[in-house]
């Protein structure tokens, strides 16, 4: 295996990761606003938002095309075939479920946002269900 | 009711009118392929009788404009239907979702499942005649476009039983229909003969006067040998898997071969599921599980890095045959199975039985695991070419070896590897830019086989070629006056030597393209001309999508130029008098991606990128996907001419 450490340490790798996340978030933002435009009866706006959101899939995945040459930056694992990729997804989902969302929920509770805390709890449970489904499929 | 709209105005497409209005919903297509689907529906109905153990002979007769399917099964019931007031047979032929197969007791496994087949065939036939032998009589009824011409009549005493249906596909629906295809029908019946051991299938073609009889007891092992006769087996015998559970019967045979990619033929209740589905996915997964297990038992892998499905099924040849009481398909043409509930049963059976076989046959297990390790090494090597670009700092030091390896391998079928390479008009567009006299000397940079340089012959005195790859240099020597081997970043020529330099579809493969462009300027005489052709996106709207496609096809791509970038590249190198000619050329993507540097995964991803192209890209970038999946792309070729100032 060629040495990928320089690539992983580079600012470019970090930038790819940021672009991946930003483009993914932006695509969903477009979809969100498209629903609002729909409600206002602005069909052309809604259609354009949807079209741009769908085109955004290539922007998101194009970033991952490069990231995967080294590793999935969020799990730290190599990207391979489905059986390997399941491991990567499991790690991310398990981390979100086990740490990220419980911490977020606790913070929200302490800051006086109980409804948002409950939202994070809900996400945590969704993640737990994902983990179970993935484990079942991988026969573990 | 406003405007007098009453219940009577509501259109209900009952019965067969709906089928005639939207035939593709029921049979997939109204091309000649659709007419063949009618034939398959009837044959599968006959096969259902065989699956029920009630039929031993199926005869298909092809006429010039019609077809007859005959079986010696039980015969469709002829007695009066208890609620419909006509014969049961007429109900089956004229009502959608009618038939005996909804009662699971009558035939456990059936292909013609939805009760749609026979009535659809009737609806889409300009004429249909059914003859049923049952209860000691022959009964006859005829239909025109799905409507009975007369009631069912008994025409005479006859012993035995069976059904015979003759139909004429309606030319109003199947406009391009030119008669049934003999080869396709032969393949269908031969396949069915293997899948139904002991049942005889006869095909007679009246137009050619030929006749074939198929009957076999070899089962799916015989079918695999027949389907894949060229395959060179790696292991001495096929591995067979078999299991039965409530409502399903499954069998498979498999063998690894020296071939590339998996070749898996799959069937559900004797219907060829061309696009696979849950049964094929479960088969592959179970197999991969067995492989992982045996390899770790043999100490061939650590278990940390499991074998991928793609690796385990490389070169695999298999027939997967499932009989299922309640199959669900993606569409009425039944090309893909969607039942999720069968996955676990099949996966466990395949994984358990293949593992057991390999444990009992250590020699075969050794051969298979060595092969898989080899496949892994090859895949890693292919990845390395792409990795190098990022991990070995070629930006500072361009690695000639990668280019040489890749284009050396590609030189073997260079001219067949894409349409554009030898496209006459495109080459002409380069040569037509030539403003040099008959004494001029031309240099073709990264000349490949030399076709671009050769297009200038006759206009100039001498054409010289330069290429990095020895194999390409040899090819170009057959076309050009002189060919040198060398690197475009540092060309083996003195300054101011050539009247014209040409190159085509090269600069996008080179990091720091401004370097080779300034090298080209260096070797040109003052006032000399640079002619360069390049595929460019139509606009920013298709550029990101094209970038992904091109990068997946060719990992050596460094630049996805857009028109303004390319113009800037030339002007910033000091070229003047820029001219551009634009030309659209259709390229076969299937041919283009069938190449050494494009991995199977990348081919798959490229096809998907076309199938799911974003609307933004489609709006500006024409391409076509045929019903059978071939992709043709209209590439925007831009040929530029620029001059080095005098």
């Amino acid at each position: 295996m060629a040495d990928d450490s320089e690539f992983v340490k580079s600012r470019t790798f970090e930038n790819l990761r940021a672009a991946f996340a930003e483009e993914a978030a932006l695509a969903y933002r477009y979809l969100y606003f498209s629903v609002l435009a729909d409600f206002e009866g602005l069909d052309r706006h809604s259609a354009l938002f949807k079209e741009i959101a769908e085109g955004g899939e290539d922007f998101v995945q194009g970033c991952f095309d490069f990231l995967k040459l080294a590793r999935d930056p969020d799990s730290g694992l190599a990207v391979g075939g489905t059986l390997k990729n399941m491991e990567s997804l499991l790690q991310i989902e398990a981390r979100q479920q086990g740490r990220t969302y419980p911490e977020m929920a606790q913070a929200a509770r302490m800051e006086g946002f109980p409804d948002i805390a409950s939202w994070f709890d809900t996400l945590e449970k969704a993640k737990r269900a994902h983990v179970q489904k993935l484990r079942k499929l991988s026969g573990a | 009711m406003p405007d007098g709209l009453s219940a009577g105005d509501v259109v209900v497409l009952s019965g067969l009118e709906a089928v005639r209005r939207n035939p593709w919903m029921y049979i997939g297509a109204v091309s000649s392929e659709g007419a063949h689907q009618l034939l398959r529906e009837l044959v599968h109905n006959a096969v259902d009788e065989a699956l029920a153990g009630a039929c031993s002979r199926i005869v298909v007769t092809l006429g010039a404009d019609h077809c007859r399917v005959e079986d010696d099964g039980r015969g469709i019931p002829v007695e009066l239907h208890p609620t419909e007031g006509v014969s049961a047979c007429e109900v089956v032929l004229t009502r959608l979702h009618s038939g005996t197969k909804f009662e699971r007791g009558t035939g456990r496994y059936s292909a013609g499942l939805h009760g749609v087949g026979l009535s659809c065939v009737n609806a889409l036939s300009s004429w249909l005649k059914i003859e049923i032998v049952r209860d000691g009589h022959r009964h006859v009824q005829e239909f025109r476009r799905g409507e009975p011409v007369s009631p069912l009549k008994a025409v005479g005493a006859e012993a035995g039983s069976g059904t015979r249906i003759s139909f004429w596909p309606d030319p109003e629906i199947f406009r391009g229909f030119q008669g049934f295809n003999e080869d396709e029908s032969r393949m269908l019946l031969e396949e069915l003969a293997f899948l139904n051991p002991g049942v005889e299938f006869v095909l007679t073609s009246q137009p050619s006067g030929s006749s074939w009889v198929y009957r076999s007891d070899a089962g799916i092992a015989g079918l695999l040998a027949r389907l894949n006769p060229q395959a060179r087996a790696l292991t001495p015998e096929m591995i067979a898997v078999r299991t039965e559970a409530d409502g399903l019967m499954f069998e498979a045979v498999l063998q690894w071969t020296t071939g590339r990619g998996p070749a898996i033929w799959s069937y559900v209740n004797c219907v060829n599921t061309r696009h696979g589905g849950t049964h094929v996915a479960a088969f592959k997964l179970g197999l991969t599980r067995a492989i992982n297990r045996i390899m770790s038992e043999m100490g061939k892998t650590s278990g940390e890095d499991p074998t991928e499905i793609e690796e385990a099924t490389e070169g695999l040849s298999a027939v997967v045959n499932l009989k299922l009481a309640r199959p669900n398909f993606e569409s009425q043409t039944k090309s893909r199975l969607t039942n999720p509930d069968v996955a676990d049963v099949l996966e466990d059976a395949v994984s358990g039985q293949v593992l057991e076989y390999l444990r009992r046959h250590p020699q075969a297990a050794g051969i298979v695991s060595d092969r898989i390790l080899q496949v892994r090494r090859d895949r890693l090597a292919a990845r390395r070419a792409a990795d190098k670009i990022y991990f070995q700092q070629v930006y500072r030091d361009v690695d000639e070896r990668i280019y040489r390896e890749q284009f050396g391998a590609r030189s073997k079928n260079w001219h067949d590897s894409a349409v554009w390479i030898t496209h006459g008009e495109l080459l002409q567009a380069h040569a037509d830019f030539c403003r040099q006299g008959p004494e001029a000397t031309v240099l073709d940079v990264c000349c490949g086989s030399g076709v671009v340089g050769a297009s200038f012959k006759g206009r100039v005195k001498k054409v010289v070629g330069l290429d990095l790859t020895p194999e390409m240099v040899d090819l170009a020597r057959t076309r050009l006056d002189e060919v040198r081997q060398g690197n475009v970043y540092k060309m083996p020529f003195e300054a101011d030597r050539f009247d014209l330099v040409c190159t085509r579809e090269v600069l996008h493969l080179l990091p720091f393209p401004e370097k080779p462009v300034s090298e080209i300027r260096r070797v040109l005489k003052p006032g000399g001309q640079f002619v360069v052709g390049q595929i460019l996106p139509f606009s920013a709207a298709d550029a990101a999508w094209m970038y992904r496609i091109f990068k997946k096809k060719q990992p050596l791509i460094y630049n996805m130029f857009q028109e303004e970038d390319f113009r800037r590249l030339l002007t910033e190198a000091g070229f003047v008098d820029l001219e551009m000619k634009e030309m659209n050329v259709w390229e076969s993507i299937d041919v283009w991606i069938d190449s050494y540097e494009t991995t199977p995964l990348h081919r798959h991803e490229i096809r998907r990128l076309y199938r799911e192209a974003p609307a933004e890209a489609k709006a500006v970038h024409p391409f076509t996907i045929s019903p059978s999946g071939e992709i043709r792309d209209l590439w925007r070729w831009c040929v530029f001419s620029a001059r080095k100032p005098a």
Side-chain angles (χ1 to χ4, degrees), chain B residues 327-434:
Chain B
N328 292 317
F329 296 99
E330 213 168 65
S331 69
Q332 174 63 21
T333 53
K334 307 173 190 118
S335 62
R336 188 184 172 92
L337 183 75
T338 58
N339 292 55
D341 45 327
V342 302
D344 288 344
V345 182
L346 301 195
E347 196 187 319
D348 289 347
V350 173
S351 142
Q353 292 177 37
V354 171
L355 180 62
E356 200 190 314
Y357 177 92
L358 292 172
R359 277 177 182 155
R360 278 191 289 112
H361 299 82
Q363 199 198 344
I367 293 170
V368 171
S369 49
D370 285 348
R371 153 82 169 188
I372 286 164
L373 290 174
Q374 183 60 44
V375 170
R376 304 195 86 171
R377 279 195 292 272
D378 290 350
R379 279 175 44 134
L380 272 176
R383 254 195 76 162
R384 225 170 279 136
D387 291 349
K388 266 224 164 83
I389 295 163
Y390 302 98
F391 307 146
Q392 291 205 343
Q393 304 173 359
V394 280
Y395 291 102
R396 264 168 258 164
D397 179 20
V398 175
D399 191 343
E400 290 185 7
R401 209 165 40 95
I402 298 175
Y403 291 84
R404 249 192 246 139
E405 267 175 21
Q406 185 187 112
F407 287 96
R410 289 191 61 192
S411 67
K412 287 177 204 115
N413 66 341
W414 178 240
H415 284 187
D416 298 326
S417 65
V419 173
W420 64 266
I421 296 173
T422 54
H423 192 271
E425 271 176 74
L426 183 60
L427 290 168
Q428 194 61 37
H430 289 73
D432 283 348
F433 262 132
C434 179

Side-chain angles (χ1 to χ4, degrees), chain A residues 1-8 51-52 54-59 61-63 65-66 68-70 78-85 136-139, chain B residues 285 288-289 292 305-309 344 376 380 383-384 386-388 390-393 396 544-545 547-548 551-552 601-602 605 609 612 614-616:
Chain A
M1 189 78 234
D3 180 22
D4 62 4
S5 60
E6 277 205 40
F7 179 49
V8 172
E51 182 185 307
I52 291 177
E54 280 159 13
E57 192 181 324
D58 271 322
F59 304 158
Q61 302 206 359
C63 295
D65 282 343
F66 286 107
K68 76 161 187 200
L69 292 171
V79 178
T82 298
L83 302 183
K84 263 179 218 148
N85 298 340
K136 182 157 177 264
L137 200 55
S138 63
Chain B
L285 214 51
T288 308
R289 226 201 246 176
N292 271 315
D305 197 16
T307 300
E308 297 289 348
I309 293 167
D344 288 344
R376 304 195 86 171
L380 272 176
R383 254 195 76 162
R384 225 170 279 136
D387 291 349
K388 266 224 164 83
Y390 302 98
F391 307 146
Q392 291 205 343
Q393 304 173 359
R396 264 168 258 164
W545 172 73
Y547 186 107
R548 293 192 73 207
K551 185 81 180 167
K552 285 179 190 301
L601 171 63
H602 283 170
E605 288 178 315
L609 277 160
E612 290 169 16
E616 280 183 300

Side-chain angles (χ1 to χ4, degrees), chain B residues 135-334:
Chain B
D135 304 335
H137 286 276
R138 176 172 291 263
H139 309 261
V140 179
Q141 189 172 19
E142 297 189 41
F143 298 82
R144 190 176 170 277
R145 303 211 153 100
E147 299 290 334
V149 176
S150 58
L152 186 71
K153 275 190 297 230
V155 293
E158 190 166 333
S161 68
T163 304
R164 174 198 275 184
I165 297 172
S166 312
F167 71 99
W168 283 254
D170 191 345
E172 274 186 15
I173 307 276
F174 305 99
R175 288 175 191 278
F177 178 61
Q178 300 280 341
F180 291 97
N181 182 320
E182 233 174 55
D183 290 341
E184 207 169 300
S185 311
R186 280 173 59 189
M187 261 159 58
L188 173 69
L189 296 194
E190 190 177 5
E191 200 174 82
L192 287 168
F194 282 113
L195 294 172
N196 296 278
V199 180
E200 185 168 286
F201 291 81
V202 181
L203 177 70
T204 304
S205 169
Q206 289 173 341
S208 73
S210 317
S211 193
W212 299 268
V213 179
Y214 300 107
R215 192 198 147 106
S216 170
D217 294 314
I220 56 173
L223 179 58
L224 185 59
R226 175 75 184 84
L227 286 170
N228 213 0
Q230 308 299 341
R232 283 184 44 217
L234 279 177
T235 44
E237 55 177 9
M238 295 178 189
I239 303 176
V241 175
R242 222 187 147 78
T243 191
E244 240 177 288
D246 189 31
L248 76 82
M249 241 168 69
F250 174 78
E251 56 173 352
V253 284
L254 60 112
Q255 188 156 37
W256 279 272
T257 73
T258 54
R260 226 171 64 167
I264 300 174
W265 289 270
S266 64
Y267 304 86
V268 174
N269 297 352
C270 295
V271 177
N272 185 335
T273 38
R274 255 174 280 181
H275 299 119
T278 30
H279 55 324
V280 176
F283 170 75
K284 287 191 193 171
L285 214 51
L287 189 71
T288 308
R289 226 201 246 176
I291 291 293
N292 271 315
R293 193 65 190 271
I294 195 79
M295 284 178 74
S296 86
E297 284 176 12
M298 295 168 73
K300 299 241 179 189
T301 52
S302 59
E304 293 266 298
D305 197 16
T307 300
E308 297 289 348
I309 293 167
E310 206 184 293
E311 292 159 354
T313 57
E314 172 97 359
L316 184 78
S317 184
V319 168
V320 170
N321 185 24
L322 175 65
K323 298 214 171 86
L324 193 59
R326 294 172 191 278
N328 292 317
F329 296 99
E330 213 168 65
S331 69
Q332 174 63 21
T333 53
K334 307 173 190 118

Side-chain angles (χ1 to χ4, degrees), chain B residues 21-65:
Chain B
R21 280 216 190 177
N22 299 308
W24 43 86
M25 274 180 60
Y26 298 88
I27 54 165
V30 288
S31 57
S32 189
E33 172 60 25
H36 283 86
Q37 182 65 27
L38 301 187
L39 166 59
R40 281 193 287 271
E41 294 282 350
L42 290 192
V43 171
H44 282 134
N45 278 345
V47 166
D48 286 347
E49 285 296 288
L51 286 173
C55 158
S56 63
R57 191 161 186 265
I58 293 168
V59 181
V60 176
T61 309
L62 305 179
D65 58 350

Side-chain angles (χ1 to χ4, degrees), chain B residues 326-610:
Chain B
R326 294 172 191 278
N328 292 317
F329 296 99
E330 213 168 65
S331 69
Q332 174 63 21
T333 53
K334 307 173 190 118
S335 62
R336 188 184 172 92
L337 183 75
T338 58
N339 292 55
D341 45 327
V342 302
D344 288 344
V345 182
L346 301 195
E347 196 187 319
D348 289 347
V350 173
S351 142
Q353 292 177 37
V354 171
L355 180 62
E356 200 190 314
Y357 177 92
L358 292 172
R359 277 177 182 155
R360 278 191 289 112
H361 299 82
Q363 199 198 344
I367 293 170
V368 171
S369 49
D370 285 348
R371 153 82 169 188
I372 286 164
L373 290 174
Q374 183 60 44
V375 170
R376 304 195 86 171
R377 279 195 292 272
D378 290 350
R379 279 175 44 134
L380 272 176
R383 254 195 76 162
R384 225 170 279 136
D387 291 349
K388 266 224 164 83
I389 295 163
Y390 302 98
F391 307 146
Q392 291 205 343
Q393 304 173 359
V394 280
Y395 291 102
R396 264 168 258 164
D397 179 20
V398 175
D399 191 343
E400 290 185 7
R401 209 165 40 95
I402 298 175
Y403 291 84
R404 249 192 246 139
E405 267 175 21
Q406 185 187 112
F407 287 96
R410 289 191 61 192
S411 67
K412 287 177 204 115
N413 66 341
W414 178 240
H415 284 187
D416 298 326
S417 65
V419 173
W420 64 266
I421 296 173
T422 54
H423 192 271
E425 271 176 74
L426 183 60
L427 290 168
Q428 194 61 37
H430 289 73
D432 283 348
F433 262 132
C434 179
R435 311 249 195 277
Q436 310 301 320
E439 291 302 307
T441 305
V442 168
L443 171 66
D444 184 353
V445 169
C446 302
C447 63
S449 61
V451 284
V452 180
S455 70
F456 287 85
K457 286 189 115 181
R459 295 174 190 255
V460 297
K461 189 174 168 198
K462 188 178 181 191
V463 182
V464 180
L466 175 76
D467 203 277
L468 193 59
T469 313
E471 290 90 337
M472 288 292 188
V473 169
D474 289 341
L475 277 180
R477 286 205 169 119
T478 64
R479 288 190 184 79
L480 306 181
D481 301 309
E482 179 190 329
V483 184
R484 301 276 293 270
Q485 194 199 333
N487 187 324
V488 64
Y489 287 85
K490 199 170 175 356
M491 292 202 266
F493 303 111
E494 70 275 26
D496 305 341
R497 172 161 169 205
F498 297 99
D499 299 284
L500 188 148
V501 175
C502 62
T503 189
R504 186 176 64 156
E505 195 60 1
V506 159
L507 292 169
H508 63 306
L509 300 176
L510 305 173
F512 299 118
E514 56 281 5
K515 272 195 195 164
V517 171
S518 72
E519 265 295 276
I520 286 166
R521 188 174 179 277
R522 182 182 70 79
V523 301
L524 270 175
K525 288 178 185 165
Q529 196 186 351
F530 179 30
V531 175
V532 49
Q534 189 71 41
I535 301 165
L536 299 179
F538 285 86
S539 74
D542 62 334
W545 172 73
M546 259 181 86
Y547 186 107
R548 293 192 73 207
I549 292 172
F550 275 66
K551 185 81 180 167
K552 285 179 190 301
K553 140 77 184 172
Q554 168 58 283
L556 291 175
I557 284 192
Y558 288 93
N559 317 290
M560 176 53 72
F561 299 113
Q562 296 185 31
E563 190 185 325
E564 51 177 300
D565 307 325
F566 206 80
R567 287 177 180 274
R568 200 181 315 120
L569 178 67
L570 297 176
T571 50
E572 284 184 358
F575 284 103
V576 294
D577 299 343
L578 215 64
E579 293 174 68
M580 185 185 99
K581 228 177 327 187
E582 198 176 325
M583 235 184 110
N584 291 338
V585 178
W586 284 105
E587 185 62 57
S588 161
I589 297 303
D590 305 278
V591 172
W592 180 59
I593 62 178
D594 184 16
S595 82
Y596 161 85
E597 73 271 13
T598 317
T599 64
L601 171 63
H602 283 170
R603 276 177 222 148
H604 175 84
E605 288 178 315
I606 289 169
R607 290 210 175 88
R608 202 184 167 114
L609 277 160
Y610 277 100

